[in-house]
Amino acid sequence: MLKAMRYALFRETSRTKAPLAGSNLTALHAFVNLLADYFPVSTSYGNNTVLDRSTRAVKVFARLRDYLENKGLDSTISPEEWQREFIAAEESAGNPFDVNSDWEHCKGSSGQYRGYTCGLWITFHTLTVNAYKQAEEHLADFKPLAPLQAIRAWVTSFFGCLHCREHFHKMTTGTFPMEAQVKKPEDVFMYLWRAHNIVNARLHGRDTEDPQFPKVQFPAQFLCSNCTANGSLVDSETREFLLDYFSEIKPFQTSRFLLR
C-alpha cells in the first residue's frame, strides 16, 4: 500500500504536467484527507502490531493536507511545487515509502500485470474498512459516502488509465451508482467490494488479466469457504471476512529484516 500511495500522490498527480486547480485540486485534497484519517497504522496480523512506516506515512499525508488547506482550494499549484512539497514531507517523516522495493502481495507473474493497480484496490478496500471500524462507536454520525466519493474523485481525476477512469465513473454514477446503493454505515466497504467484483467480471479473460492470477469473484473459496453458498457469495459471511481480511495487514518485509 505504501508503494502504491507514493506513486499515486507523487507520480499520478503530476503525470500530465497540468496545474493542480479546480476540481482536480479538490479531488487531491479529499483523497489526502482520506489517507490522513484512515490509512491504517496498526494491524491485527500477529499481535496487533503498530506499523511504524505507515504511522510515518500518515504524518506525510497530514502535512500534505495542511499544505493544501493553507494554500487554499481555490488556488493553482504547479506539479513541480506539489512534488517539492511531497519530497519535503516524506523526508521530514523519515522517508516511510520504500521506492526501491518490489511488490509483495501484488506482484504479478510479469511486470505488466497487477502491481500498482492491485495496490490501489487493496488500499481503497483497507481505507473503507478502517473508516467503518473507526466509526463503530458513533455509527449514527458516520457518513459512508464520503470515503467512496473521495476515492472516485481521485480515480476520475488522476488515474493514468483513461478508459479505466471512464469505466469507473460510469459504473459508480450510472450502472451501479454509489449514491443510490450506499445507505448503511457498512455499505462504505460492502459497496466497494461489490463494485470491485463488477470490475473483475468485466476484465475476466481480457489480455490485461494475469494468467497466474485470474480475475475471479472475491473472496475465492480458498480464502473464505463460508462466503459462498449455492454458487453465490453470501453478504453476511463476506462482511465479516472483509472486516478481518483488510485489517490483517502483513508488515512490510525485506530479505534481511522486517519493516513496519
mmCIF file of all heavy atoms in Angstrom, residues 152-198:
data_model
loop_
_atom_site.group_PDB
_atom_site.id
_atom_site.type_symbol
_atom_site.label_atom_id
_atom_site.label_comp_id
_atom_site.label_asym_id
_atom_site.label_seq_id
_atom_site.Cartn_x
_atom_site.Cartn_y
_atom_site.Cartn_z
ATOM 1 N N ARG A 152 -13.523 7.939 -5.648
ATOM 2 C CA ARG A 152 -13.981 8.163 -7.025
ATOM 3 C C ARG A 152 -13.383 9.441 -7.605
ATOM 4 O O ARG A 152 -12.952 9.464 -8.770
ATOM 5 C CB ARG A 152 -15.507 8.235 -7.078
ATOM 6 C CG ARG A 152 -16.038 8.484 -8.501
ATOM 7 C CD ARG A 152 -17.554 8.435 -8.554
ATOM 8 N NE ARG A 152 -18.168 9.474 -7.744
ATOM 9 C CZ ARG A 152 -19.456 9.488 -7.395
ATOM 10 N NH1 ARG A 152 -20.254 8.502 -7.781
ATOM 11 N NH2 ARG A 152 -19.943 10.463 -6.670
ATOM 12 N N ALA A 153 -13.344 10.492 -6.815
ATOM 13 C CA ALA A 153 -12.805 11.759 -7.304
ATOM 14 C C ALA A 153 -11.337 11.616 -7.682
ATOM 15 O O ALA A 153 -10.892 12.156 -8.708
ATOM 16 C CB ALA A 153 -12.989 12.847 -6.245
ATOM 17 N N TRP A 154 -10.577 10.882 -6.861
ATOM 18 C CA TRP A 154 -9.162 10.705 -7.192
ATOM 19 C C TRP A 154 -9.007 9.874 -8.466
ATOM 20 O O TRP A 154 -8.240 10.238 -9.369
ATOM 21 C CB TRP A 154 -8.396 10.036 -6.041
ATOM 22 C CG TRP A 154 -6.937 9.998 -6.357
ATOM 23 C CD1 TRP A 154 -6.011 10.959 -6.102
ATOM 24 C CD2 TRP A 154 -6.257 8.974 -7.099
ATOM 25 N NE1 TRP A 154 -4.792 10.596 -6.632
ATOM 26 C CE2 TRP A 154 -4.922 9.391 -7.245
ATOM 27 C CE3 TRP A 154 -6.654 7.757 -7.644
ATOM 28 C CZ2 TRP A 154 -3.976 8.621 -7.915
ATOM 29 C CZ3 TRP A 154 -5.714 6.988 -8.316
ATOM 30 C CH2 TRP A 154 -4.388 7.425 -8.437
ATOM 31 N N VAL A 155 -9.735 8.763 -8.559
ATOM 32 C CA VAL A 155 -9.614 7.891 -9.736
ATOM 33 C C VAL A 155 -9.964 8.659 -11.006
ATOM 34 O O VAL A 155 -9.227 8.619 -12.001
ATOM 35 C CB VAL A 155 -10.518 6.650 -9.591
ATOM 36 C CG1 VAL A 155 -10.586 5.871 -10.907
ATOM 37 C CG2 VAL A 155 -10.005 5.745 -8.475
ATOM 38 N N THR A 156 -11.083 9.361 -10.998
ATOM 39 C CA THR A 156 -11.538 10.030 -12.218
ATOM 40 C C THR A 156 -10.715 11.272 -12.547
ATOM 41 O O THR A 156 -10.760 11.762 -13.677
ATOM 42 C CB THR A 156 -13.025 10.404 -12.109
ATOM 43 O OG1 THR A 156 -13.238 11.213 -10.949
ATOM 44 C CG2 THR A 156 -13.887 9.152 -12.000
ATOM 45 N N SER A 157 -9.949 11.767 -11.583
ATOM 46 C CA SER A 157 -9.104 12.934 -11.835
ATOM 47 C C SER A 157 -7.675 12.570 -12.214
ATOM 48 O O SER A 157 -7.050 13.275 -13.018
ATOM 49 C CB SER A 157 -9.064 13.842 -10.597
ATOM 50 O OG SER A 157 -10.327 14.384 -10.309
ATOM 51 N N PHE A 158 -7.148 11.461 -11.649
ATOM 52 C CA PHE A 158 -5.707 11.234 -11.756
ATOM 53 C C PHE A 158 -5.271 9.859 -12.260
ATOM 54 O O PHE A 158 -4.123 9.728 -12.695
ATOM 55 C CB PHE A 158 -5.050 11.474 -10.386
ATOM 56 C CG PHE A 158 -5.190 12.875 -9.883
ATOM 57 C CD1 PHE A 158 -6.001 13.158 -8.792
ATOM 58 C CD2 PHE A 158 -4.527 13.921 -10.502
ATOM 59 C CE1 PHE A 158 -6.137 14.456 -8.322
ATOM 60 C CE2 PHE A 158 -4.654 15.223 -10.043
ATOM 61 C CZ PHE A 158 -5.461 15.492 -8.955
ATOM 62 N N PHE A 159 -6.101 8.852 -12.185
ATOM 63 C CA PHE A 159 -5.631 7.517 -12.559
ATOM 64 C C PHE A 159 -5.180 7.518 -14.016
ATOM 65 O O PHE A 159 -5.871 8.015 -14.901
ATOM 66 C CB PHE A 159 -6.731 6.483 -12.323
ATOM 67 C CG PHE A 159 -6.279 5.064 -12.496
ATOM 68 C CD1 PHE A 159 -5.091 4.617 -11.938
ATOM 69 C CD2 PHE A 159 -7.041 4.158 -13.218
ATOM 70 C CE1 PHE A 159 -4.669 3.304 -12.089
ATOM 71 C CE2 PHE A 159 -6.634 2.843 -13.374
ATOM 72 C CZ PHE A 159 -5.441 2.419 -12.817
ATOM 73 N N GLY A 160 -4.013 6.933 -14.263
ATOM 74 C CA GLY A 160 -3.377 7.059 -15.569
ATOM 75 C C GLY A 160 -4.056 6.332 -16.708
ATOM 76 O O GLY A 160 -3.856 6.680 -17.873
ATOM 77 N N CYS A 161 -4.861 5.323 -16.408
ATOM 78 C CA CYS A 161 -5.556 4.559 -17.448
ATOM 79 C C CYS A 161 -6.874 5.265 -17.768
ATOM 80 O O CYS A 161 -7.821 5.206 -16.978
ATOM 81 C CB CYS A 161 -5.800 3.129 -16.965
ATOM 82 S SG CYS A 161 -6.866 2.148 -18.040
ATOM 83 N N LEU A 162 -6.942 5.923 -18.923
ATOM 84 C CA LEU A 162 -8.101 6.749 -19.247
ATOM 85 C C LEU A 162 -9.384 5.935 -19.355
ATOM 86 O O LEU A 162 -10.420 6.310 -18.788
ATOM 87 C CB LEU A 162 -7.859 7.517 -20.550
ATOM 88 C CG LEU A 162 -9.007 8.433 -21.004
ATOM 89 C CD1 LEU A 162 -9.340 9.462 -19.934
ATOM 90 C CD2 LEU A 162 -8.648 9.115 -22.321
ATOM 91 N N HIS A 163 -9.345 4.810 -20.082
ATOM 92 C CA HIS A 163 -10.593 4.049 -20.231
ATOM 93 C C HIS A 163 -11.008 3.404 -18.910
ATOM 94 O O HIS A 163 -12.199 3.201 -18.663
ATOM 95 C CB HIS A 163 -10.483 3.010 -21.361
ATOM 96 C CG HIS A 163 -9.656 1.812 -21.046
ATOM 97 N ND1 HIS A 163 -8.305 1.753 -21.300
ATOM 98 C CD2 HIS A 163 -9.992 0.606 -20.501
ATOM 99 C CE1 HIS A 163 -7.843 0.573 -20.928
ATOM 100 N NE2 HIS A 163 -8.834 -0.142 -20.443
ATOM 101 N N CYS A 164 -10.027 3.118 -18.031
ATOM 102 C CA CYS A 164 -10.364 2.611 -16.693
ATOM 103 C C CYS A 164 -11.101 3.688 -15.900
ATOM 104 O O CYS A 164 -12.087 3.404 -15.207
ATOM 105 C CB CYS A 164 -9.106 2.197 -15.939
ATOM 106 S SG CYS A 164 -8.098 0.948 -16.753
ATOM 107 N N ARG A 165 -10.611 4.914 -15.995
ATOM 108 C CA ARG A 165 -11.266 6.039 -15.323
ATOM 109 C C ARG A 165 -12.693 6.194 -15.813
ATOM 110 O O ARG A 165 -13.623 6.397 -15.014
ATOM 111 C CB ARG A 165 -10.500 7.334 -15.590
ATOM 112 C CG ARG A 165 -9.203 7.454 -14.852
ATOM 113 C CD ARG A 165 -8.275 8.475 -15.465
ATOM 114 N NE ARG A 165 -8.853 9.806 -15.566
ATOM 115 C CZ ARG A 165 -8.177 10.855 -16.014
ATOM 116 N NH1 ARG A 165 -6.917 10.725 -16.396
ATOM 117 N NH2 ARG A 165 -8.742 12.034 -16.073
ATOM 118 N N GLU A 166 -12.870 6.098 -17.119
ATOM 119 C CA GLU A 166 -14.201 6.274 -17.696
ATOM 120 C C GLU A 166 -15.146 5.166 -17.248
ATOM 121 O O GLU A 166 -16.309 5.423 -16.913
ATOM 122 C CB GLU A 166 -14.095 6.320 -19.221
ATOM 123 C CG GLU A 166 -13.381 7.572 -19.727
ATOM 124 C CD GLU A 166 -13.074 7.521 -21.213
ATOM 125 O OE1 GLU A 166 -13.156 6.407 -21.800
ATOM 126 O OE2 GLU A 166 -12.748 8.576 -21.788
ATOM 127 N N HIS A 167 -14.655 3.928 -17.242
ATOM 128 C CA HIS A 167 -15.481 2.806 -16.784
ATOM 129 C C HIS A 167 -15.850 2.966 -15.311
ATOM 130 O O HIS A 167 -16.993 2.708 -14.914
ATOM 131 C CB HIS A 167 -14.743 1.482 -16.995
ATOM 132 C CG HIS A 167 -14.878 0.923 -18.374
ATOM 133 N ND1 HIS A 167 -16.077 0.475 -18.885
ATOM 134 C CD2 HIS A 167 -13.959 0.738 -19.356
ATOM 135 C CE1 HIS A 167 -15.901 0.033 -20.122
ATOM 136 N NE2 HIS A 167 -14.626 0.183 -20.434
ATOM 137 N N PHE A 168 -14.880 3.382 -14.503
ATOM 138 C CA PHE A 168 -15.124 3.529 -13.068
ATOM 139 C C PHE A 168 -16.168 4.619 -12.815
ATOM 140 O O PHE A 168 -17.078 4.447 -11.997
ATOM 141 C CB PHE A 168 -13.819 3.861 -12.345
ATOM 142 C CG PHE A 168 -13.898 3.748 -10.849
ATOM 143 C CD1 PHE A 168 -13.829 2.510 -10.231
ATOM 144 C CD2 PHE A 168 -14.038 4.877 -10.053
ATOM 145 C CE1 PHE A 168 -13.899 2.391 -8.845
ATOM 146 C CE2 PHE A 168 -14.110 4.779 -8.668
ATOM 147 C CZ PHE A 168 -14.044 3.530 -8.064
ATOM 148 N N HIS A 169 -16.035 5.719 -13.530
ATOM 149 C CA HIS A 169 -17.004 6.809 -13.363
ATOM 150 C C HIS A 169 -18.391 6.376 -13.823
ATOM 151 O O HIS A 169 -19.397 6.643 -13.142
ATOM 152 C CB HIS A 169 -16.551 8.040 -14.146
ATOM 153 C CG HIS A 169 -17.434 9.231 -13.938
ATOM 154 N ND1 HIS A 169 -18.465 9.552 -14.802
ATOM 155 C CD2 HIS A 169 -17.472 10.171 -12.953
ATOM 156 C CE1 HIS A 169 -19.084 10.637 -14.363
ATOM 157 N NE2 HIS A 169 -18.506 11.028 -13.247
ATOM 158 N N LYS A 170 -18.454 5.692 -14.963
ATOM 159 C CA LYS A 170 -19.750 5.231 -15.472
ATOM 160 C C LYS A 170 -20.404 4.259 -14.501
ATOM 161 O O LYS A 170 -21.613 4.341 -14.236
ATOM 162 C CB LYS A 170 -19.561 4.568 -16.837
ATOM 163 C CG LYS A 170 -20.857 4.064 -17.460
ATOM 164 C CD LYS A 170 -20.600 3.425 -18.815
ATOM 165 C CE LYS A 170 -21.903 2.899 -19.423
ATOM 166 N NZ LYS A 170 -21.669 2.257 -20.748
ATOM 167 N N MET A 171 -19.609 3.345 -13.950
ATOM 168 C CA MET A 171 -20.153 2.365 -13.012
ATOM 169 C C MET A 171 -20.655 3.044 -11.743
ATOM 170 O O MET A 171 -21.781 2.791 -11.295
ATOM 171 C CB MET A 171 -19.094 1.324 -12.656
ATOM 172 C CG MET A 171 -19.529 0.330 -11.585
ATOM 173 S SD MET A 171 -18.243 -0.869 -11.151
ATOM 174 C CE MET A 171 -17.004 0.207 -10.386
ATOM 175 N N THR A 172 -19.839 3.911 -11.154
ATOM 176 C CA THR A 172 -20.173 4.465 -9.836
ATOM 177 C C THR A 172 -21.202 5.588 -9.893
ATOM 178 O O THR A 172 -21.717 6.001 -8.847
ATOM 179 C CB THR A 172 -18.901 4.972 -9.131
ATOM 180 O OG1 THR A 172 -18.259 5.965 -9.948
ATOM 181 C CG2 THR A 172 -17.937 3.829 -8.860
ATOM 182 N N THR A 173 -21.498 6.079 -11.101
ATOM 183 C CA THR A 173 -22.530 7.112 -11.233
ATOM 184 C C THR A 173 -23.745 6.634 -12.016
ATOM 185 O O THR A 173 -24.817 7.238 -11.911
ATOM 186 C CB THR A 173 -21.975 8.365 -11.943
ATOM 187 O OG1 THR A 173 -21.520 8.008 -13.259
ATOM 188 C CG2 THR A 173 -20.834 8.984 -11.157
ATOM 189 N N GLY A 174 -23.579 5.549 -12.806
ATOM 190 C CA GLY A 174 -24.666 5.112 -13.675
ATOM 191 C C GLY A 174 -25.132 3.695 -13.453
ATOM 192 O O GLY A 174 -26.206 3.453 -12.896
ATOM 193 N N THR A 175 -24.319 2.721 -13.854
ATOM 194 C CA THR A 175 -24.759 1.326 -13.802
ATOM 195 C C THR A 175 -24.830 0.773 -12.384
ATOM 196 O O THR A 175 -25.621 -0.130 -12.096
ATOM 197 C CB THR A 175 -23.831 0.438 -14.649
ATOM 198 O OG1 THR A 175 -22.477 0.604 -14.190
ATOM 199 C CG2 THR A 175 -23.905 0.817 -16.124
ATOM 200 N N PHE A 176 -24.000 1.290 -11.484
ATOM 201 C CA PHE A 176 -24.022 0.870 -10.077
ATOM 202 C C PHE A 176 -23.729 2.098 -9.216
ATOM 203 O O PHE A 176 -22.691 2.202 -8.578
ATOM 204 C CB PHE A 176 -22.983 -0.234 -9.850
ATOM 205 C CG PHE A 176 -23.071 -0.918 -8.508
ATOM 206 C CD1 PHE A 176 -24.258 -1.479 -8.065
ATOM 207 C CD2 PHE A 176 -21.951 -1.014 -7.692
ATOM 208 C CE1 PHE A 176 -24.339 -2.111 -6.831
ATOM 209 C CE2 PHE A 176 -22.014 -1.648 -6.463
ATOM 210 C CZ PHE A 176 -23.216 -2.196 -6.033
ATOM 211 N N PRO A 177 -24.652 3.056 -9.206
ATOM 212 C CA PRO A 177 -24.376 4.364 -8.594
ATOM 213 C C PRO A 177 -24.229 4.292 -7.078
ATOM 214 O O PRO A 177 -25.115 3.793 -6.385
ATOM 215 C CB PRO A 177 -25.598 5.198 -8.987
ATOM 216 C CG PRO A 177 -26.687 4.200 -9.216
ATOM 217 C CD PRO A 177 -26.010 2.978 -9.771
ATOM 218 N N MET A 178 -23.115 4.799 -6.593
ATOM 219 C CA MET A 178 -22.879 4.711 -5.151
ATOM 220 C C MET A 178 -23.888 5.535 -4.358
ATOM 221 O O MET A 178 -24.286 5.159 -3.254
ATOM 222 C CB MET A 178 -21.442 5.106 -4.804
ATOM 223 C CG MET A 178 -21.048 6.522 -5.121
ATOM 224 S SD MET A 178 -19.369 6.960 -4.538
ATOM 225 C CE MET A 178 -18.315 5.827 -5.421
ATOM 226 N N GLU A 179 -24.323 6.662 -4.912
ATOM 227 C CA GLU A 179 -25.271 7.493 -4.169
ATOM 228 C C GLU A 179 -26.604 6.782 -3.940
ATOM 229 O O GLU A 179 -27.303 7.068 -2.959
ATOM 230 C CB GLU A 179 -25.503 8.817 -4.900
ATOM 231 C CG GLU A 179 -24.394 9.843 -4.713
ATOM 232 C CD GLU A 179 -23.155 9.573 -5.558
ATOM 233 O OE1 GLU A 179 -23.191 8.654 -6.415
ATOM 234 O OE2 GLU A 179 -22.145 10.271 -5.370
ATOM 235 N N ALA A 180 -26.960 5.863 -4.825
ATOM 236 C CA ALA A 180 -28.207 5.105 -4.658
ATOM 237 C C ALA A 180 -28.001 3.834 -3.846
ATOM 238 O O ALA A 180 -28.923 3.360 -3.178
ATOM 239 C CB ALA A 180 -28.788 4.750 -6.030
ATOM 240 N N GLN A 181 -26.793 3.282 -3.889
ATOM 241 C CA GLN A 181 -26.529 1.991 -3.259
ATOM 242 C C GLN A 181 -26.100 2.100 -1.799
ATOM 243 O O GLN A 181 -26.321 1.177 -1.009
ATOM 244 C CB GLN A 181 -25.432 1.249 -4.041
ATOM 245 C CG GLN A 181 -25.806 0.883 -5.463
ATOM 246 C CD GLN A 181 -26.833 -0.225 -5.531
ATOM 247 O OE1 GLN A 181 -26.900 -1.079 -4.653
ATOM 248 N NE2 GLN A 181 -27.648 -0.218 -6.579
ATOM 249 N N VAL A 182 -25.465 3.198 -1.445
ATOM 250 C CA VAL A 182 -24.871 3.321 -0.111
ATOM 251 C C VAL A 182 -25.869 3.988 0.832
ATOM 252 O O VAL A 182 -26.168 5.179 0.705
ATOM 253 C CB VAL A 182 -23.550 4.116 -0.173
ATOM 254 C CG1 VAL A 182 -22.978 4.327 1.226
ATOM 255 C CG2 VAL A 182 -22.545 3.385 -1.057
ATOM 256 N N LYS A 183 -26.374 3.203 1.763
ATOM 257 C CA LYS A 183 -27.372 3.694 2.714
ATOM 258 C C LYS A 183 -26.935 3.473 4.163
ATOM 259 O O LYS A 183 -27.152 4.333 5.014
ATOM 260 C CB LYS A 183 -28.714 2.987 2.484
ATOM 261 C CG LYS A 183 -29.276 3.143 1.071
ATOM 262 C CD LYS A 183 -29.575 4.593 0.737
ATOM 263 C CE LYS A 183 -30.183 4.719 -0.656
ATOM 264 N NZ LYS A 183 -30.403 6.138 -1.036
ATOM 265 N N LYS A 184 -26.352 2.316 4.443
ATOM 266 C CA LYS A 184 -25.970 1.941 5.806
ATOM 267 C C LYS A 184 -24.472 2.160 6.009
ATOM 268 O O LYS A 184 -23.705 2.169 5.036
ATOM 269 C CB LYS A 184 -26.311 0.472 6.071
ATOM 270 C CG LYS A 184 -27.757 0.100 5.812
ATOM 271 C CD LYS A 184 -28.046 -1.325 6.236
ATOM 272 C CE LYS A 184 -27.224 -2.355 5.470
ATOM 273 N NZ LYS A 184 -27.568 -2.408 4.044
ATOM 274 N N PRO A 185 -24.025 2.314 7.254
ATOM 275 C CA PRO A 185 -22.595 2.506 7.509
ATOM 276 C C PRO A 185 -21.710 1.440 6.876
ATOM 277 O O PRO A 185 -20.668 1.753 6.295
ATOM 278 C CB PRO A 185 -22.509 2.481 9.037
ATOM 279 C CG PRO A 185 -23.829 3.007 9.486
ATOM 280 C CD PRO A 185 -24.823 2.457 8.502
ATOM 281 N N GLU A 186 -22.115 0.173 6.957
ATOM 282 C CA GLU A 186 -21.280 -0.902 6.419
ATOM 283 C C GLU A 186 -21.182 -0.865 4.896
ATOM 284 O O GLU A 186 -20.292 -1.484 4.305
ATOM 285 C CB GLU A 186 -21.813 -2.261 6.855
ATOM 286 C CG GLU A 186 -23.164 -2.619 6.264
ATOM 287 C CD GLU A 186 -23.716 -3.910 6.841
ATOM 288 O OE1 GLU A 186 -23.711 -4.062 8.076
ATOM 289 O OE2 GLU A 186 -24.144 -4.759 6.046
ATOM 290 N N ASP A 187 -22.061 -0.120 4.258
ATOM 291 C CA ASP A 187 -22.012 -0.019 2.798
ATOM 292 C C ASP A 187 -20.733 0.658 2.321
ATOM 293 O O ASP A 187 -20.371 0.526 1.151
ATOM 294 C CB ASP A 187 -23.224 0.751 2.269
ATOM 295 C CG ASP A 187 -24.519 -0.033 2.402
ATOM 296 O OD1 ASP A 187 -24.451 -1.269 2.538
ATOM 297 O OD2 ASP A 187 -25.598 0.591 2.376
ATOM 298 N N VAL A 188 -20.044 1.363 3.207
ATOM 299 C CA VAL A 188 -18.798 2.020 2.807
ATOM 300 C C VAL A 188 -17.797 1.002 2.280
ATOM 301 O O VAL A 188 -17.071 1.269 1.315
ATOM 302 C CB VAL A 188 -18.191 2.843 3.968
ATOM 303 C CG1 VAL A 188 -17.720 1.952 5.107
ATOM 304 C CG2 VAL A 188 -17.042 3.712 3.475
ATOM 305 N N PHE A 189 -17.757 -0.190 2.874
ATOM 306 C CA PHE A 189 -16.837 -1.213 2.358
ATOM 307 C C PHE A 189 -17.559 -2.288 1.547
ATOM 308 O O PHE A 189 -16.966 -2.888 0.650
ATOM 309 C CB PHE A 189 -16.007 -1.843 3.483
ATOM 310 C CG PHE A 189 -16.773 -2.620 4.513
ATOM 311 C CD1 PHE A 189 -16.990 -3.979 4.357
ATOM 312 C CD2 PHE A 189 -17.255 -1.999 5.659
ATOM 313 C CE1 PHE A 189 -17.683 -4.708 5.316
ATOM 314 C CE2 PHE A 189 -17.948 -2.719 6.627
ATOM 315 C CZ PHE A 189 -18.170 -4.081 6.449
ATOM 316 N N MET A 190 -18.836 -2.525 1.829
ATOM 317 C CA MET A 190 -19.573 -3.522 1.061
ATOM 318 C C MET A 190 -19.811 -3.048 -0.374
ATOM 319 O O MET A 190 -19.759 -3.845 -1.319
ATOM 320 C CB MET A 190 -20.896 -3.843 1.750
ATOM 321 C CG MET A 190 -20.750 -4.548 3.097
ATOM 322 S SD MET A 190 -20.037 -6.210 2.962
ATOM 323 C CE MET A 190 -21.457 -7.137 2.349
ATOM 324 N N TYR A 191 -20.076 -1.766 -0.556
ATOM 325 C CA TYR A 191 -20.258 -1.243 -1.912
ATOM 326 C C TYR A 191 -18.980 -1.416 -2.723
ATOM 327 O O TYR A 191 -19.019 -1.850 -3.881
ATOM 328 C CB TYR A 191 -20.646 0.241 -1.879
ATOM 329 C CG TYR A 191 -20.646 0.861 -3.265
ATOM 330 C CD1 TYR A 191 -21.770 0.791 -4.078
ATOM 331 C CD2 TYR A 191 -19.505 1.481 -3.772
ATOM 332 C CE1 TYR A 191 -21.760 1.325 -5.363
ATOM 333 C CE2 TYR A 191 -19.485 2.012 -5.051
ATOM 334 C CZ TYR A 191 -20.614 1.932 -5.844
ATOM 335 O OH TYR A 191 -20.588 2.453 -7.122
ATOM 336 N N LEU A 192 -17.842 -1.073 -2.136
ATOM 337 C CA LEU A 192 -16.586 -1.172 -2.877
ATOM 338 C C LEU A 192 -16.282 -2.619 -3.235
ATOM 339 O O LEU A 192 -15.764 -2.903 -4.322
ATOM 340 C CB LEU A 192 -15.442 -0.565 -2.062
ATOM 341 C CG LEU A 192 -14.145 -0.342 -2.841
ATOM 342 C CD1 LEU A 192 -14.332 0.723 -3.914
ATOM 343 C CD2 LEU A 192 -13.008 0.050 -1.909
ATOM 344 N N TRP A 193 -16.597 -3.536 -2.334
ATOM 345 C CA TRP A 193 -16.416 -4.967 -2.627
ATOM 346 C C TRP A 193 -17.258 -5.369 -3.840
ATOM 347 O O TRP A 193 -16.762 -6.021 -4.765
ATOM 348 C CB TRP A 193 -16.792 -5.791 -1.395
ATOM 349 C CG TRP A 193 -17.111 -7.223 -1.684
ATOM 350 C CD1 TRP A 193 -16.258 -8.172 -2.180
ATOM 351 C CD2 TRP A 193 -18.381 -7.869 -1.529
ATOM 352 N NE1 TRP A 193 -16.916 -9.373 -2.332
ATOM 353 C CE2 TRP A 193 -18.222 -9.208 -1.936
ATOM 354 C CE3 TRP A 193 -19.628 -7.441 -1.061
ATOM 355 C CZ2 TRP A 193 -19.276 -10.127 -1.906
ATOM 356 C CZ3 TRP A 193 -20.668 -8.356 -1.023
ATOM 357 C CH2 TRP A 193 -20.487 -9.676 -1.449
ATOM 358 N N ARG A 194 -18.525 -4.971 -3.847
ATOM 359 C CA ARG A 194 -19.399 -5.323 -4.971
ATOM 360 C C ARG A 194 -18.913 -4.666 -6.265
ATOM 361 O O ARG A 194 -18.906 -5.290 -7.334
ATOM 362 C CB ARG A 194 -20.837 -4.901 -4.669
ATOM 363 C CG ARG A 194 -21.460 -5.655 -3.496
ATOM 364 C CD ARG A 194 -22.938 -5.306 -3.336
ATOM 365 N NE ARG A 194 -23.511 -5.978 -2.173
ATOM 366 C CZ ARG A 194 -23.730 -5.397 -0.999
ATOM 367 N NH1 ARG A 194 -23.432 -4.105 -0.826
ATOM 368 N NH2 ARG A 194 -24.247 -6.076 0.003
ATOM 369 N N ALA A 195 -18.508 -3.409 -6.174
ATOM 370 C CA ALA A 195 -18.021 -2.697 -7.357
ATOM 371 C C ALA A 195 -16.769 -3.361 -7.916
ATOM 372 O O ALA A 195 -16.614 -3.504 -9.139
ATOM 373 C CB ALA A 195 -17.744 -1.242 -7.004
ATOM 374 N N HIS A 196 -15.871 -3.780 -7.035
ATOM 375 C CA HIS A 196 -14.644 -4.439 -7.478
ATOM 376 C C HIS A 196 -14.971 -5.753 -8.183
ATOM 377 O O HIS A 196 -14.345 -6.100 -9.197
ATOM 378 C CB HIS A 196 -13.724 -4.679 -6.280
ATOM 379 C CG HIS A 196 -12.317 -5.017 -6.658
ATOM 380 N ND1 HIS A 196 -11.302 -5.136 -5.737
ATOM 381 C CD2 HIS A 196 -11.744 -5.271 -7.870
ATOM 382 C CE1 HIS A 196 -10.178 -5.443 -6.359
ATOM 383 N NE2 HIS A 196 -10.420 -5.542 -7.650
ATOM 384 N N ASN A 197 -15.945 -6.477 -7.693
ATOM 385 C CA ASN A 197 -16.328 -7.726 -8.349
ATOM 386 C C ASN A 197 -16.973 -7.472 -9.708
ATOM 387 O O ASN A 197 -16.845 -8.288 -10.628
ATOM 388 C CB ASN A 197 -17.251 -8.547 -7.453
ATOM 389 C CG ASN A 197 -16.473 -9.443 -6.504
ATOM 390 O OD1 ASN A 197 -15.299 -9.748 -6.738
ATOM 391 N ND2 ASN A 197 -17.113 -9.878 -5.427
ATOM 392 N N ILE A 198 -17.666 -6.355 -9.858
ATOM 393 C CA ILE A 198 -18.192 -5.979 -11.174
ATOM 394 C C ILE A 198 -17.031 -5.752 -12.141
ATOM 395 O O ILE A 198 -17.055 -6.200 -13.295
ATOM 396 C CB ILE A 198 -19.074 -4.717 -11.063
ATOM 397 C CG1 ILE A 198 -20.371 -5.040 -10.312
ATOM 398 C CG2 ILE A 198 -19.392 -4.155 -12.453
ATOM 399 C CD1 ILE A 198 -21.212 -3.820 -9.987
#
